[in-house]
Amino acid sequence: TRQTCFWFQLGFEDVIAEPELTHSFDKVWICSHALFELSKYLIYKLLTLVLAIPLALVVGIVFAVLSCLHIWIVVPFVKTCLMVLPSVQTIWKSLTDVFVVPFFQSLGRCFAMVNIRLDQE
């Protein structure tokens, strides 16, 4: 499914926040609403036209470089260290057991207590 951006979930009433009882003149309200929606639509289309392809290219290159570095440099280096030096494996496991595991266990316990309830009014 296609997810919408947070900004496009905002409506005119969310941005302007003029209470219903104190609306300005109807014509002003209608024109400002139309101008808001039109400018939001046109600016988004213009920005995607100008930025989408170059940004997609840049992000694709960055992820390709990161994947290549991870696959061909980081993983072989770590595996070589763990094969050649068994003590490094023991030290690495101890460090993760002392620092990383407790942090994520406590983080998991914190988020396990979160309850979300949505009420429709």
Side-chain angles (χ1 to χ4, degrees):
T1 62
R2 189 173 174 180
Q3 294 182 355
T4 57
C5 178
F6 169 73
W7 294 106
F8 283 103
Q9 293 174 355
L10 288 176
F12 178 71
E13 293 80 16
D14 298 326
V15 175
I16 301 303
E18 192 176 49
E20 280 191 43
L21 298 176
T22 58
H23 274 246
S24 53
F25 298 112
D26 284 340
K27 297 289 182 189
V28 172
W29 181 256
I30 291 169
C31 288
S32 60
H33 185 272
L35 187 61
F36 173 82
E37 293 295 332
L38 181 68
S39 63
K40 182 176 78 167
Y41 175 79
L42 289 177
I43 296 297
Y44 176 77
K45 293 294 182 182
L46 179 69
L47 286 174
T48 54
L49 177 70
V50 173
L51 297 176
I53 293 174
L55 284 176
L57 179 67
V58 168
V59 170
I61 290 170
V62 167
F63 280 116
V65 168
L66 289 176
S67 296
C68 183
L69 289 174
H70 181 72
I71 291 169
W72 293 102
I73 295 173
V74 174
V75 171
F77 177 75
V78 170
K79 287 193 178 207
T80 303
C81 286
L82 294 177
M83 279 183 353
V84 173
L85 304 169
S87 59
V88 171
Q89 187 173 5
T90 307
I91 292 171
W92 182 259
K93 183 171 177 0
S94 299
L95 287 173
T96 26
D97 286 345
V98 168
F99 294 109
V100 177
V101 172
F103 172 73
F104 283 107
Q105 282 179 343
S106 53
L107 195 65
R109 287 185 183 143
C110 288
F111 286 124
M113 302 308 279
V114 172
N115 292 319
I116 297 175
R117 190 181 82 190
L118 299 173
D119 292 332
Q120 291 184 354
E121 294 180 21

